[in-house]
Amino acid sequence: MFGEHRKCKLCSIILISAYVAVISLLAAYEDSKFQQRVAKENKIRDQYKPSEIDLLHNAVLGPNKSDPCPYVREAAVRFELEAPNKEQRHQLLSSKIGRRLMSAAEFRKNFYEDSIPTLPNGVPKVIHQTWWSRKLKEKNIRLSASWFRCMPDWIHVLWDDDDVIELYRDYRPDLLEMMNGYPYGVQRSDMFRYLVLYIYGGVYADMDYECIQDISREDGVGSLSHSVFMSGAPNPIVDGKAQNTLMASTRGHPFWAHVLSVSAEQCGRMYEPEFFIRIFVTLRLCTLASRVRKFFGWTGISVLSTTGPRMLSQAYERFPVELRSTVRLLEVEVFNGQMDRGAKDDTASEEGSVIQDLRFACAQKSIHRNSAGWTKNSAFPYTGDHTVLGKRLPHRLIAILILEAAAMVLVGICCFYCFQSDIQTFFSVHRDRKDQ
């Protein structure tokens, strides 16, 4: 009997050790890739930090006259009527403040929170965008130039990853540990946009967003009836009600403080990490959970639920009703026009109508081109989510959970066979006593 117990213990130790070894090797491999990428990006970021980005050349080209979206073609015609040749366009735009894609350091040095010109409703006339460095692709520059073309009198700022961390260090140092613990750069980008709108206000637009018409008028972010504006979600099955790709706000609005508070719940919304980390999160040992996460790997993170549209939508739903009237969800058909409407995620919307993806991105005033670069530009490729028992889980988390369940089942089977004789003896004695 003693020998069987020793075999059982040895079997359990071997199985658990094998599980930990597999997870650890996976984490070590991914962490090495992550560190290599970070070192490479830091070098490039430092190299391009002093570079000037002039949007004038791309702005004078005007909208794409052959774009499949009719609103873009109409905008191209209007632009040519206003300024028929390039010389006139240069003259029209060359002296405007939005011509240069200003660095965050220059912006923070020259403009205080309350010194930026505003719209009548109090929204500051500044456009914030973020990228991991000032090394931009030609497509990014062209899309950024569209905002300069539509709103040339607006200050235009590009924040890189260093600027994002510095902003948090200055205004929310209590969230720095959480920020540094995110594995995906897009998570820090998500968190940046909430804080920058809270501190400075203005408009935030993703780098894959194109401006077709000025959105600062009364029918857009210039509405006197609202103080916060967010794009509605074209894919509510995945995102919820709101999308964080295009947003605007007055400075210091309590909604953004509320969003930051929601994002920090449960150790930074660590609802879906691996089994052992869930224990630390439940015990509210956030620092330990964050450190152990690096050991077990970052494979189970849901970007959408931790910092992205799903989190933002939940924060919107939980915002006090008496204040929610100040927040406006911008119409998808006017301000978003994303192609992906959720057809591949489900066949029907909440109202029961069939969902169909668009054949091309199209909207009246601004278009989300939805390059989804954040799913690829990472040391940990984000493969997407899948619905399990009504809850959307990252694909890689599902694989980890299956591995965990298999390890636990094997340990259980091993223990059952090791203690089988003891179990049979126990039930036999119990049966004999009952018969007596």
Side-chain angles (χ1 to χ4, degrees):
M1 187 69 66
F2 180 70
E4 291 181 354
H5 288 180
R6 291 187 63 182
K7 288 180 181 179
C8 177
K9 291 180 180 179
L10 181 62
C11 180
S12 300
I13 291 172
I14 291 174
L15 285 171
I16 294 174
S17 299
Y19 164 73
V20 173
V22 169
I23 298 298
S24 302
L25 288 173
L26 175 63
Y29 170 70
E30 293 195 329
D31 188 61
S32 66
K33 288 174 60 182
F34 178 73
Q35 296 302 332
Q36 292 173 10
R37 188 182 184 95
V38 166
K40 181 179 179 180
E41 288 182 351
N42 286 341
K43 184 177 180 180
I44 295 174
R45 189 159 44 247
D46 291 340
Q47 179 183 351
Y48 280 84
K49 200 170 278 288
S51 63
E52 291 283 338
I53 302 177
D54 192 338
L55 302 176
L56 182 61
H57 171 71
N58 283 274
V60 299
L61 296 178
N64 182 8
K65 291 185 288 186
S66 60
D67 194 279
C69 178
Y71 300 115
V72 178
R73 298 197 299 270
E74 290 170 8
V77 172
R78 286 195 302 270
F79 189 63
E80 286 190 347
L81 291 176
E82 292 174 6
N85 56 62
K86 287 187 177 180
E87 289 74 19
Q88 290 176 313
R89 297 173 190 176
H90 269 276
Q91 187 176 3
L92 183 68
L93 297 172
S94 60
S95 61
K96 301 297 184 180
I97 192 171
R99 171 178 175 175
R100 290 176 55 252
L101 198 51
M102 192 180 297
S103 70
E106 181 182 355
F107 170 70
R108 297 185 68 183
K109 178 181 178 181
N110 296 326
F111 295 93
Y112 297 101
E113 293 91 332
D114 57 353
S115 66
I116 304 169
T118 65
L119 296 175
N121 66 351
V123 173
K125 297 174 71 172
V126 54
I127 300 169
H128 303 282
Q129 295 192 288
T130 184
W131 195 245
W132 64 273
S133 77
R134 290 183 68 82
K135 181 184 179 182
L136 299 181
K137 300 176 182 177
E138 185 60 32
K139 177 183 177 181
N140 296 137
I141 296 176
R142 179 177 61 80
L143 294 176
S144 288
S146 71
W147 291 96
F148 168 48
R149 184 171 60 247
C150 290
M151 300 149 73
D153 294 320
W154 285 55
I155 303 164
H156 201 160
V157 189
L158 179 66
W159 302 69
D160 66 22
D161 285 0
D162 291 340
D163 302 324
V164 169
I165 294 299
E166 187 175 342
L167 185 71
Y168 266 85
R169 186 180 294 116
D170 290 345
Y171 291 98
R172 289 302 301 266
D174 57 308
L175 298 179
L176 259 183
E177 184 178 27
M178 183 178 75
M179 285 284 288
N180 289 324
Y182 289 133
Y184 296 100
V186 69
Q187 291 174 292
R188 283 179 285 277
S189 170
D190 284 340
M191 294 297 291
F192 155 75
R193 56 195 79 178
Y194 309 136
L195 183 59
V196 80
L197 290 177
Y198 183 60
I199 301 300
Y200 291 102
V203 169
Y204 169 82
D206 268 4
M207 294 298 290
D208 57 0
Y209 233 103
E210 181 176 6
C211 184
I212 308 303
Q213 297 183 43
D214 187 350
I215 68 168
S216 66
R217 296 165 184 160
E218 175 65 27
D219 59 349
V221 302
S223 169
L224 299 175
S225 304
H226 304 87
S227 303
V228 173
F229 306 83
M230 302 183 295
S231 171
N235 190 340
I237 297 170
V238 172
D239 294 337
K241 289 188 174 181
Q243 195 179 77
N244 62 355
T245 52
L246 177 66
M247 303 182 291
S249 176
T250 56
R251 185 173 68 88
H253 196 282
F255 176 72
W256 302 116
H258 169 70
V259 171
L260 293 173
S261 176
V262 171
S263 72
E265 293 174 347
Q266 293 289 306
C267 305
R269 299 177 67 83
M270 280 199 248
Y271 297 129
E272 301 168 354
E274 293 76 11
F275 173 75
F276 290 98
I277 302 176
R278 288 199 296 274
I279 296 176
F280 295 122
V281 172
T282 302
L283 297 174
R284 302 301 176 96
L285 301 174
C286 298
T287 300
L288 185 59
S290 180
R291 291 177 181 176
V292 173
R293 173 189 275 178
K294 294 182 179 180
F295 177 76
F296 282 102
W298 290 313
T299 54
I301 302 298
S302 172
V303 173
L304 301 177
S305 295
T306 51
T307 61
R310 205 176 299 155
M311 184 279 293
L312 181 64
S313 297
Q314 291 175 12
Y316 171 74
E317 294 284 356
R318 290 164 51 183
F319 197 49
V321 176
E322 62 273 15
L323 297 176
R324 203 182 302 166
S325 60
T326 64
V327 182
R328 175 185 168 190
L329 295 179
L330 298 170
E331 298 82 354
V332 173
E333 294 74 15
V334 180
F335 296 94
N336 189 293
Q338 178 179 310
M339 289 175 61
D340 178 12
R341 298 300 176 94
K344 66 178 179 296
D345 299 289
D346 207 337
T347 57
S349 68
E350 296 177 358
E351 293 76 19
S353 58
V354 175
I355 291 177
Q356 291 183 336
D357 292 335
L358 301 182
R359 289 186 295 108
F360 48 83
C362 190
Q364 295 178 25
K365 290 186 175 292
S366 56
I367 299 176
H368 185 209
R369 296 294 181 180
N370 195 25
S371 64
W374 66 272
T375 63
K376 314 178 194 72
N377 299 330
S378 171
F380 318 103
Y382 194 79
T383 57
D385 295 353
H386 191 76
T387 302
V388 178
L389 299 176
K391 186 176 181 63
R392 295 192 68 84
L393 302 178
H395 291 159
R396 299 180 73 186
L397 172 61
I398 296 173
I400 291 295
L401 292 177
I402 292 173
L403 182 60
E404 288 178 349
M408 292 177 186
V409 169
L410 287 174
V411 171
I413 293 174
C414 181
C415 291
F416 174 78
Y417 280 110
C418 287
F419 288 100
Q420 187 176 16
S421 59
D422 289 349
I423 294 172
Q424 289 175 347
T425 301
F426 172 79
F427 281 108
S428 178
V429 171
H430 181 73
R431 193 165 45 248
D432 291 342
R433 288 177 180 176
K434 189 175 180 181
D435 292 340
Q436 292 176 359

